[in-house]
Amino acid sequence: MQKNFLFINISINSGYHGVNHGVAFLAPIVKKHSYRVKYIDITADWNAGQFNQAIEAFQPSVIAFSCTSHQLKYLTKFSGFLEERSDILTIAGGVGVTLDPEWVIKKTSVDAVCIGEGEIPIENLLHNISSKKELRTTEGFYFRNEKNAFKNPPPQFIRDISLLRPDYTIFAKKAVLKDGRINLMLGRGCVYNCNYCSNKALSSVYSSAKGYFRLPPVEQCIDLIKGVLEDFPEVTFINFLDDLLISNKIWFKQFAHEYGKIINLPYTICVRAESISSEIVDAMKNSGCKKAQIGLESGNEELRKTILNRSPDNDFIIEKCRMVQNAGIELYTFNVVGFPDEQGAEMEETYNLNKRIAPSGGVCTFFYPYKKTALYEICKKRNRLLPEDDMLDITNYLSQPSIKMNAAEKKTCIFYQEKIMSYMEKQLALTEESNQQT
Ligand code: B12
Ligand code: SF4
């Protein structure tokens, strides 16, 4: 039997072209089982001919799709092209699949779907394949059957992630490295519970979510980074995508110290106002942090607290942002408009909060209600959800309002998204100009 394993990342009009970090962590496990691994990033709406041509070139025995909720429509389409291929085992995983495995089993043609983190389920599946055991009882996978599905709940998530190592060599080099910059993830999960975010829902697929937020020991993180730098010696800048590296003060201070001493490359980090202190900012600065990204989401305190479940008030946020900026670290903000019943005046407050902070740049996206989140339920109760087919047509959160709105609400929402984005573009131009002068 061919031992060729093909990962397919579905990313059509997703607003992002880069690596899939989840797949980077799964690839070493597949390789360990002596498979040849290939990764395809589908970024255009391929027809059957294009799809089959790409498949034939590799002759896989397993095809593993990965996608977010925004790409599920294409999972249906592409897995449909493989419906007659009983020689290929087709599986799917990722955030979009984890949040609604029942939908995926019903509406797509994949043989099995993985719920939650894939390391243990993939290991078990490949083990069962090589030892010719019954696949349909593999933990963490729902298997399609003619009438219903074989449902095997996920095993407990890996508590100690210190030995997990991503393999970025499976991706095209231009996806991994952009102008010497690389994106990395060190931890898993989050301690907060923002109503619009999928994190809580992702952790709740486990029988116990206790300990879901995990950071490897500092030594292992440095080892992981060193391994990546051996594979990609051209790296000159690291973007850490983790939400919460600074949330554990003791861990972060130790990490910053070791990172500055051993890795010593400039980097970007995500921050939350609650975790910023002068000690943290000093540690960031002294270890080479050049940029920090903070989620403001909305400038209206009431909306932020009651609808988004984010508690700090504006003055507190501004004070923390100043601490970062005064240390000479560029600050970028994330903002969202188009929450259920959000008024123009509230979006104006988001604009005004940004003006008070004067960030080096940032983005403003449209709210999208992800299944199993608290805000999805709020939208449902308030009759704000779009019909399912319309939701599936929205392939990212950058292009359009994503809940039911009347024409005037929609116009206001688009107006403010554009207003905040154009402010960000101006701020970014100023930042670039001042960087060129220094
Ligand atoms: C880092 C990150 C990014 C990075 C990198 C994304 C990437 N593809 O790796 C950047 C900033 C570029 C990004 C972009 C976007 N992101 Co993002 N991102 C995250 C974040 C913070 C962490 C994701 C991550 O790497 N986790 C760590 C890895 C190890 O976990 P994982 O990806 O889930 O993979 C594991 C399992 O899902 C599973 N698995 C994954 N694929 C497969 C396949 C098979 C076959 C199997 C068996 C298992 C399996 O095994 C993996 C290892 O355990 C999450 C929030 C979160 N905490 O999850 C949001 C999140 C995934 N992003 C989200 C979104 C919406 C986007 C964008 C669409 C935004 C946009 N442009 O509009 C794009 C789309 C990117 C894309 N096409 O993948 C949403 C997805 C919501 C949803 N329900 O689908 C999330 C959950 C945040 C949220 N708002 O709730 N993102
Ligand atoms: S938005 Fe960020 S801080 Fe809030 S729960 Fe999600 S990952 Fe955590």
Side-chain angles (χ1 to χ4, degrees):
M1 187 190 74
Q2 296 270 17
K3 286 196 84 172
N4 290 341
F5 192 110
L6 179 63
F7 280 108
I8 298 184
N9 184 53
I10 312 180
S11 190
I12 295 158
N13 192 19
S14 71
Y16 168 68
H17 296 296
V19 305
N20 178 320
H21 294 273
V23 167
F25 279 94
L26 301 179
I29 299 166
V30 180
K31 285 184 177 175
K32 197 187 80 194
H33 281 267
S34 309
Y35 280 84
R36 279 205 310 144
V37 173
K38 189 173 169 181
Y39 174 87
I40 303 179
D41 195 14
I42 304 190
T43 57
D45 188 5
W46 283 357
N47 60 32
Q50 290 165 306
F51 184 85
N52 289 331
Q53 201 182 0
I55 304 303
E56 283 317 313
F58 188 58
Q59 304 225 330
S61 53
V62 184
I63 292 184
F65 293 98
S66 181
C67 70
T68 61
S69 304
H70 292 287
Q71 304 288 329
L72 289 173
K73 175 176 93 171
Y74 296 105
L75 179 62
T76 303
K77 176 173 176 177
F78 298 139
S79 63
F81 296 153
L82 295 163
E83 214 168 350
E84 307 298 321
R85 297 292 303 264
S86 56
D87 55 325
I88 303 176
L89 175 70
T90 54
I91 60 175
V95 176
V97 174
T98 297
L99 294 178
D100 204 352
E102 309 283 348
W103 187 95
V104 179
I105 281 287
K106 213 156 88 193
K107 301 279 177 126
T108 77
S109 307
V110 292
D111 297 316
V113 299
C114 174
I115 291 111
E117 293 181 1
E119 284 85 354
I120 299 176
I122 279 275
E123 170 70 44
N124 292 344
L125 183 75
L126 299 181
H127 174 79
N128 286 347
I129 292 176
S130 62
S131 51
K132 299 198 166 42
K133 284 199 179 137
E134 169 62 86
L135 299 188
R136 287 176 305 182
T137 53
T138 311
E139 261 190 316
F141 278 99
Y142 286 6
F143 276 81
R144 175 185 309 288
N145 188 21
E146 263 145 41
K147 290 214 174 70
N148 43 35
F150 284 90
K151 295 180 184 174
N152 309 291
Q156 193 54 22
F157 53 82
I158 303 179
R159 289 199 179 276
D160 177 7
I161 58 167
S162 59
L163 295 179
L164 298 182
R165 291 288 177 276
D167 179 354
Y168 292 104
T169 63
I170 62 163
F171 306 110
K173 203 165 189 175
K174 64 177 192 301
V176 183
L177 269 178
K178 286 181 185 131
D179 300 327
R181 288 166 183 264
I182 194 166
N183 290 343
L184 293 183
M185 289 279 303
L186 299 175
R188 298 276 171 98
C190 176
V191 290
Y192 293 99
N193 181 14
C194 304
N195 281 346
Y196 53 89
C197 177
S198 307
N199 234 307
K200 174 83 186 304
L202 293 174
S203 68
S204 61
V205 302
Y206 296 101
S207 52
S208 164
K210 203 163 166 244
Y212 187 68
F213 172 58
R214 289 148 289 161
L215 270 179
V218 167
E219 203 185 318
Q220 304 292 344
C221 290
I222 300 294
D223 192 55
L224 185 157
I225 300 168
K226 272 165 60 186
V228 172
L229 296 180
E230 270 164 31
D231 287 336
F232 300 95
E234 309 90 328
V235 172
T236 54
F237 199 107
I238 299 180
N239 295 325
F240 290 109
L241 299 173
D242 297 74
D243 276 288
L244 288 165
L245 291 184
I246 66 166
S247 66
N248 179 333
K249 192 159 82 175
I250 297 171
W251 183 93
F252 183 72
K253 279 168 64 183
Q254 199 195 340
F255 171 75
H257 182 258
E258 294 300 310
Y259 178 91
K261 204 169 69 184
I262 300 166
I263 308 292
N264 196 23
L265 285 174
Y267 70 93
T268 303
I269 198 173
C270 297
V271 294
R272 263 191 77 124
E274 293 96 317
S275 302
I276 297 172
S277 65
S278 53
E279 270 178 283
I280 289 284
V281 174
D282 283 349
M284 285 163 62
K285 188 180 175 173
N286 295 335
S287 55
C289 179
K290 298 290 178 225
K291 291 183 177 186
Q293 300 172 317
I294 187 164
L296 302 179
E297 319 307 355
S298 166
N300 180 278
E301 292 177 350
E302 181 66 14
L303 186 149
R304 214 169 47 231
K305 279 179 201 160
T306 57
I307 302 283
L308 309 187
N309 195 26
R310 290 174 72 101
S311 50
D313 58 34
N314 286 350
D315 288 343
F316 180 82
I317 292 174
I318 293 169
E319 183 199 323
K320 298 299 176 140
C321 289
R322 286 283 171 269
M323 287 170 75
V324 174
Q325 291 167 309
N326 290 343
I329 297 169
E330 289 175 8
L331 186 80
Y332 292 76
T333 65
F334 294 139
N335 306 277
V336 181
V337 291
F339 292 111
D341 299 312
E342 187 182 17
Q343 304 296 308
E346 292 162 337
M347 300 179 209
E348 181 74 23
E349 286 184 61
T350 306
Y351 174 70
N352 287 335
L353 177 61
N354 276 284
K355 285 199 84 173
R356 285 177 73 193
I357 292 171
S360 300
V363 285
C364 182
T365 58
F366 294 104
F367 164 68
Y368 183 99
Y370 294 112
K371 278 188 183 166
K372 308 236 168 87
T373 61
L375 257 179
Y376 179 89
E377 293 307 320
I378 291 176
C379 289
K380 200 169 165 183
K381 268 196 205 119
R382 296 187 187 179
N383 190 24
R384 287 285 185 174
L385 288 180
L386 292 169
E388 186 168 66
D389 282 351
D390 293 357
M391 298 227 2
L392 288 169
D393 279 341
I394 302 175
T395 55
N396 60 58
Y397 51 49
L398 298 161
S399 48
Q400 66 189 91
S402 307
I403 58 173
K404 219 187 259 176
M405 291 181 186
N406 64 33
E409 287 171 329
K410 207 170 186 172
K411 200 169 153 202
T412 304
C413 182
I414 294 171
F415 170 81
Y416 276 104
Q417 192 265 350
E418 287 174 352
K419 180 171 172 172
I420 298 169
M421 278 306 274
S422 89
Y423 170 73
M424 293 305 175
E425 276 155 28
K426 277 189 207 131
Q427 291 301 103
L428 189 64
L430 288 174
T431 308
E432 282 168 359
E433 204 180 291
S434 96
N435 284 348
Q436 269 165 11
Q437 282 164 7
T438 50

